Amino acid sequence: MKRNLCISALSLACISAAQAGPASYVHTPAVEYGETEIELHGGTLRESGEERESAAIVVVGYGVTQYWFTEFGVEFEHESGESTEVEAVEWENTFQLTEPGQYAVDLGLLVELEVATESEDGWELKTGPLLQTEIGKTQINFNPLLERKFDTDGEEETELVYEWQVAYRLQQSFEFGLQGFGEVGEWNDWEKSSEQSHKAGPMIAGKLPLGDHDAIKYDTAILFGLNGATEEQTFRFTLEYEF
């Protein structure tokens, strides 16, 4: 009964948030074998003098093995005055390459394929290492990733992007810290600083156990643009039900 109520509540959240929109989130290298997750990644961004843009990604994932977690998601986008549209579908895979705590830094690998619903937008492959370490109650994540974009005209473009997080675990249900995301630019032309994007800001997160291995996890942040090519402000969140 408890599980059905949680799934229903999360489904309602997904429907409403599809109009409120997602943002990027920080990936972690750990894999939970046999665990099923229903996730909602959402957010909205604002640029001075422009309409607010929102998006959301609804994801279902499963721990196939002790070292492989796979997820399928649908991405929605919404702009003020326009209807919500399905923007893309994605298949994301996390591979845990080391045991947690085995080395000073835990290592994982992300491989994600995203296909746009509009055929002319092509598809995108994102891959790279997932790095995590802990110092006392502080967890540090840093993920440098390559995005390879392919369009229907045969043009290809590779960009270096990154995501990071420093979080202090006050208790299981509440941790706080800083989070950031950025786009460095094309792999062979990083000097174009005007095309780079960097944003960072405070975050809070936590895990709320529900018993019988069920739990709700949350993660939210307010991010501020650190250069002129970045949106002034981004609000993002993740809501996850795992069982």
Side-chain angles (χ1 to χ4, degrees):
M1 180 65 176
K2 182 189 296 181
R3 177 175 298 178
N4 291 336
L5 288 173
C6 289
I7 293 177
S8 299
L10 187 54
S11 298
L12 290 173
C14 292
I15 293 173
S16 61
Q19 298 179 348
S24 300
Y25 59 98
V26 177
H27 297 79
T28 58
V31 168
E32 294 291 339
Y33 171 53
E35 182 175 273
T36 300
E37 296 180 358
I38 302 174
E39 305 171 9
L40 170 64
H41 307 286
T44 181
L45 60 85
R46 177 177 60 83
E47 184 64 65
S48 178
E50 297 184 7
E51 296 289 342
R52 183 176 294 274
E53 297 181 16
S54 305
I57 307 175
V58 182
V59 180
V60 177
Y62 181 71
V64 182
T65 72
Q66 293 180 336
Y67 307 103
W68 173 34
F69 193 88
T70 189
E71 299 176 286
F72 292 90
V74 180
E75 180 178 350
F76 302 85
E77 285 197 358
H78 175 78
E79 294 185 11
S80 299
E82 299 184 10
S83 60
T84 301
E85 297 181 352
V86 177
E87 184 70 13
V89 294
E90 63 179 44
W91 178 32
E92 180 181 293
N93 296 275
T94 300
F95 300 94
Q96 180 180 305
L97 303 182
T98 63
E99 293 290 340
Q102 182 180 6
Y103 302 105
V105 177
D106 298 335
L107 177 62
L109 176 68
L110 176 71
V111 180
E112 177 183 307
L113 177 66
E114 181 179 298
V115 180
T117 53
E118 297 290 339
S119 58
E120 62 269 19
D121 292 336
W123 57 284
E124 175 183 296
L125 177 65
K126 178 189 294 184
T127 185
L130 307 177
L131 309 173
Q132 177 176 300
T133 189
E134 294 190 7
I135 304 174
K137 291 186 176 183
T138 301
Q139 178 177 302
I140 303 171
N141 294 84
F142 178 66
N143 307 323
L145 305 170
L146 290 177
E147 287 186 350
R148 183 74 166 175
K149 300 178 181 179
F150 305 84
D151 63 25
T152 54
D153 296 329
E155 295 185 7
E156 302 177 6
E157 180 180 273
T158 302
E159 293 186 339
L160 176 63
V161 302
Y162 67 85
E163 50 193 48
W164 62 268
Q165 176 176 285
V166 179
Y168 180 78
R169 190 178 302 107
L170 188 63
Q171 53 188 10
Q172 184 182 41
S173 60
F174 182 76
E175 52 189 72
F176 62 92
L178 296 172
Q179 208 173 74
F181 303 86
E183 298 178 3
V184 178
E186 291 189 41
W187 175 253
N188 58 353
D189 193 6
W190 294 348
E191 295 182 357
K192 293 183 178 179
S193 59
S194 62
E195 298 180 4
Q196 294 186 11
S197 172
H198 307 281
K199 55 187 174 182
M203 57 78 64
I204 59 172
K207 180 177 181 178
L208 308 174
L210 301 177
D212 298 328
H213 305 291
D214 295 9
I216 293 289
K217 296 176 70 175
Y218 68 91
D219 166 21
T220 185
I222 299 178
L223 309 170
F224 302 94
L226 302 180
N227 66 335
T230 310
E231 301 83 16
E232 284 186 354
Q233 187 182 96
T234 301
F235 168 74
R236 58 151 305 278
F237 71 90
T238 290
L239 182 62
E240 176 184 314
Y241 174 51
E242 57 183 40
F243 57 95

